[in-house]
Amino acid sequence: GQNIDQPTEMTATEGAIVQINCTYQTSGFNGLFWYQQHAGEAPTFLSYNVLDGLEEKGRFSSFLSRSKGYSYLLLKELQMKDSASYLCAVRDGDYKLSFGAGTTVTVRA
Amino acid sequence: IAGITQAPTSQILAAGRRMTLRCTQDMRHNAMYWYRQDLGLGLRLIHYSNTAGTTGKGEVPDGYSVSRANTDDFPLTLASAVPSQTSVYFCASSDSGTGGYNEQFFGPGTRLTVL
């Protein structure tokens, strides 16, 4: 089976930086995704890592270490609209996604 | 451009009733998926289809069935609904080639309550 762990909740101040960690143990690995999900809405794609290292996309960056089974999503210059759940998902050897339970980020003024 | 649509948006259903959740995509994606999302458990895969005419079981398939008669449609059927099937159901689709991210695109979800 798959095991994907991420913190349940995080709180940060507007303008600050927050790092959401994700650790995983899966049967096979074909990439790691981060999705954003606002309350009552569908998940939307944020980032994808398949090789080790950092991928930067505007205010959001995602890091992967395959040997450690570890990823993080970095949100910089936090805005109120960044309050959402962030889902870590690993694509396994059969190209199916397994999701973590999600991290709810609350941005305070 | 619709992307993925799901119907109904929400439904209250008596236990024992049969229910079909509809999902249609217009992106010509080969692969389609059904997930349920429950508080504290995240998204769990129910069934998937890698291409029209084929389906497979995910992590939590019991009590659900699917069909994939064509590329665009992927209905999910609850043959005899039970209260534990109360959840939010998301349909998703993706390309399935070896190049590119092949990220999954999600529909708006169906909120189902079984009483």
Side-chain angles (χ1 to χ4, degrees), chain B residues 7 19-23 33-36 46-47 60-61 63-67 73-79 89-91 112:
Chain B
M19 176 74 192
T20 295
L21 308 184
R22 299 184 298 280
C23 174
Y33 314 85
W34 274 105
Y35 295 90
R36 59 178 290 173
I46 305 170
H47 284 287
V60 288
Y64 306 95
S65 63
V66 292
S67 61
D73 301 301
F74 191 43
L76 176 74
T77 297
L78 288 67
Y89 291 85
F90 287 101
C91 179
L112 182 67

Side-chain angles (χ1 to χ4, degrees), chain A residues 69-108:
Chain A
Y70 168 70
S71 173
Y72 67 73
L73 179 70
L74 196 68
L75 286 62
K76 294 176 277 191
E77 301 168 20
L78 278 173
Q79 302 175 10
M80 299 300 287
K81 68 179 182 179
D82 297 330
S83 291
S85 284
Y86 292 85
L87 315 179
C88 174
V90 176
R91 187 160 60 192
D92 65 18
D94 292 327
Y95 283 83
K96 296 196 291 295
L97 280 187
S98 293
F99 285 83
T103 299
T104 299
V105 171
T106 302
V107 181
R108 298 196 191 280

Side-chain angles (χ1 to χ4, degrees), chain A residues 16-109:
Chain A
I17 298 173
V18 70
Q19 177 174 315
I20 306 169
N21 296 324
C22 172
T23 58
Y24 64 88
Q25 292 175 303
T26 59
S27 53
F29 179 84
N30 279 296
L32 186 143
F33 294 80
W34 285 95
Y35 281 81
Q36 180 189 58
Q37 185 177 25
H38 285 101
E41 297 183 7
T44 55
F45 169 74
L46 278 181
S47 69
Y48 171 70
N49 296 69
V50 68
L51 300 176
D52 291 350
L54 188 68
E55 293 283 341
E56 297 188 84
K57 200 188 273 189
R59 294 188 297 113
F60 294 179
S61 303
S62 56
F63 172 83
L64 175 67
S65 169
R66 288 172 296 171
S67 62
K68 292 186 168 68
Y70 168 70
S71 173
Y72 67 73
L73 179 70
L74 196 68
L75 286 62
K76 294 176 277 191
E77 301 168 20
L78 278 173
Q79 302 175 10
M80 299 300 287
K81 68 179 182 179
D82 297 330
S83 291
S85 284
Y86 292 85
L87 315 179
C88 174
V90 176
R91 187 160 60 192
D92 65 18
D94 292 327
Y95 283 83
K96 296 196 291 295
L97 280 187
S98 293
F99 285 83
T103 299
T104 299
V105 171
T106 302
V107 181
R108 298 196 191 280

